[in-house]
């Protein structure tokens, strides 16, 4: 694979979402539990605050995701970006609403 999306497009959309997801959820990493631990304290972790905001945006506006970059780096088998993102939200934030009040 060529350079990761976040290296090729450091100011691109969803850079943090894709980078964090790739770090913890790529099939070779498979570290969902570690990501869940980080997500518990997202208010004190600037990267996780951005991740959560980008995850919200990706769920509500999946057409804004850059091509197949998320899938290329995570390789999920949910059938679509939206299904994967919604599952990821549930895995990390449980019943918390996706849309912030």
């Amino acid at each position: 694979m060529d350079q990761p999306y976040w290296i090729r497009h450091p100011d691109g959309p969803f850079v943090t979402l894709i980078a964090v997801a790739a770090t913890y959820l790529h099939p070779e990493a498979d570290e969902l539990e570690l990501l869940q631990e980080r997500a518990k304290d997202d208010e004190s972790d600037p990267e996780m605050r951005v991740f959560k905001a980008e995850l919200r945006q990706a769920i509500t506006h999946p057409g804004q995701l850059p091509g197949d970059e998320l899938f290329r780096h995570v390789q999920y088998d949910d059938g679509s970006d939206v299904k994967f993102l919604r599952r990821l939200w549930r895995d990390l934030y449980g019943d918390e609403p996706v849309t912030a009040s």
Side-chain angles (χ1 to χ4, degrees):
M1 181 189 295
D2 55 336
Q3 289 185 321
Y5 172 75
W6 52 93
I7 301 288
R8 289 181 284 122
H9 305 283
D11 297 320
F14 303 102
V15 168
T16 302
L17 171 65
I18 295 169
V20 169
T23 300
Y24 291 94
L25 303 174
H26 186 276
E28 293 175 12
D30 194 25
E31 298 288 352
L32 176 61
E33 294 82 14
L34 292 176
L35 183 56
Q36 288 171 321
E37 285 300 312
R38 277 192 77 189
K40 286 180 185 176
D41 196 23
D42 62 19
E43 290 306 312
S44 65
D45 184 336
E47 183 178 48
M48 288 306 292
R49 280 196 310 268
V50 172
F51 171 85
K52 188 175 185 178
E54 289 183 2
L55 180 55
R56 276 189 164 118
Q57 183 179 357
I59 290 170
T60 56
H61 303 288
Q64 294 178 355
L65 285 166
D68 66 347
E69 293 292 343
L70 182 61
F71 178 78
R72 284 183 54 221
H73 292 289
V74 181
Q75 300 175 9
Y76 42 86
D77 59 2
D78 295 80
S80 74
D81 292 338
V82 175
K83 288 179 183 178
F84 167 73
L85 294 167
R86 289 187 183 282
R87 177 176 58 86
L88 180 58
W89 182 270
R90 281 190 312 275
D91 288 348
L92 299 180
Y93 304 109
D95 293 333
E96 181 179 330
V98 171
T99 54
S101 42

